[in-house]
Amino acid sequence: MIRQIIRIDEEKCNGCGLCAQACHESAIAMVDGKAKLIRDDYCDGMGDCLPNCPTGAISFEEREAAAYDREAVEANMKKKKAEEMQKTMQAKGTAVHPAGGCPGSAARQMRRTAGEQDTVGSAAGTSAQTVLSQLGNWPVQIKLAPVQAPYFDGAKLLIAADCTAYSYANFHQEFIRGKVTLVGCPKLDGVDYSEKLTQIIRNNDIQSVQIVRMEVPCCGGLEMAAKKALQESGKFIPWQVVTISIDGNILD
């Protein structure tokens, strides 16, 4: 349909972002330092953004454009508000999970300090000193992990088969420590993890990827999914595969 809609002159735009802040419908976003009309159906054509532009880069024009979609705008605003709340709560270390979701799938970050230890009671009733868990993120299951989370920023990513932590005795200290951990078993889950892993690698600042698998053939599915994700992410990230034997030794 032909209707009134805003037009942004990129040459005049100084990238201040005031128009994006003034747009109640989130039709304007900053892209590469310039204001952009990202969706025609988000723009109501009322021009609340015009008086906020200090350079006169925004004007009205009549052109073919999708009709203003109030329902789409409201759904987008609701989604953005939920995402902002989740990011705020995650930054504070507070567990967050979608409304009606399982609390066990809430994303959270555990901050470990060097030299931390935990004390547990022995069978004889005395205290025994053990090394504290090195796990720094939750959830760890690939199927439950969020696509984006604060703990992925600058992370060294560990993608491990479920059984590896049970087979290799020093798994926490040698593999989990200092990394963001994701685990899975393609045979039991019956899914291809590559799409989920691609999104995680593509949407976050991942510094390196370490894949830890068992020597059994079914673990090849996890290795293939991780390699496919690295390739499809379009990023060049250092990666390594470590194979654990059934009797708990590192094979390569």
Side-chain angles (χ1 to χ4, degrees):
M1 63 180 294
I2 302 295
R3 70 180 182 94
Q4 178 174 280
I5 197 166
I6 66 162
R7 177 181 179 276
I8 301 174
D9 187 335
E10 290 190 18
E11 292 185 1
K12 291 183 179 180
C13 177
N14 65 0
C16 68
L18 293 176
C19 59
Q21 295 175 24
C23 181
H24 303 298
E25 289 77 21
S26 295
I28 301 175
M30 303 307 295
V31 180
D32 297 329
K34 295 287 186 178
K36 300 274 189 182
L37 177 61
I38 56 173
R39 284 185 55 162
D40 288 358
D41 59 343
Y42 282 6
C43 179
D44 60 7
M46 301 299 292
D48 288 346
C49 53
L50 266 71
N52 290 275
C53 179
T55 64
I58 305 176
S59 59
F60 286 121
E61 66 176 346
E62 295 277 342
R63 65 171 175 83
E64 181 72 31
Y68 174 62
D69 189 338
R70 181 181 295 276
E71 291 184 1
V73 169
E74 291 177 351
N76 180 56
M77 296 302 291
K78 184 177 180 180
K79 178 182 177 182
K80 286 183 65 176
K81 185 176 180 180
E83 289 174 348
E84 289 172 0
M85 182 180 295
Q86 183 175 7
K87 289 179 181 178
T88 300
M89 296 180 73
Q90 286 175 342
K92 294 179 179 179
T94 306
V96 181
H97 58 87
C102 172
S105 64
R108 63 182 301 171
Q109 182 174 11
M110 292 78 77
R111 303 187 184 280
R112 306 295 187 185
T113 59
E116 277 188 318
Q117 290 180 319
D118 195 16
T119 302
V120 296
S122 69
T126 59
S127 293
Q129 202 171 54
T130 60
V131 178
L132 185 70
S133 166
Q134 295 300 310
L135 187 65
N137 63 283
W138 186 267
V140 294
Q141 287 290 336
I142 298 172
K143 290 176 64 176
L144 299 178
V147 173
Q148 286 184 293
Y151 50 71
F152 281 130
D153 186 29
K156 296 178 180 178
L157 184 61
L158 171 66
I159 302 172
D162 289 345
C163 298
T164 54
Y166 292 96
S167 180
Y168 192 71
N170 204 29
F171 195 83
H172 274 247
Q173 293 297 320
E174 292 190 32
F175 293 110
I176 293 180
R177 187 174 187 176
K179 299 185 182 74
V180 169
T181 303
L182 296 177
V183 302
C185 176
K187 184 173 183 178
L188 294 180
D189 287 342
V191 296
D192 180 3
Y193 297 126
S194 60
E195 183 176 348
K196 181 71 170 287
L197 292 174
T198 298
Q199 293 181 55
I200 291 173
I201 295 171
R202 179 182 293 156
N203 295 326
N204 298 279
D205 180 25
I206 304 297
Q207 297 299 301
S208 64
V209 174
Q210 185 177 48
I211 305 157
V212 182
R213 55 163 293 182
M214 295 297 296
E215 64 175 324
V216 295
C218 57
C219 262
L222 182 68
E223 180 180 344
M224 290 177 62
K227 289 180 177 179
K228 182 178 179 182
L230 283 162
Q231 182 178 12
E232 295 189 350
S233 71
K235 295 183 177 181
F236 295 95
I237 299 174
W239 60 275
Q240 175 194 28
V241 178
V242 178
T243 303
I244 308 295
S245 66
I246 293 174
D247 58 359
N249 294 307
I250 294 178
L251 298 180
D252 53 23

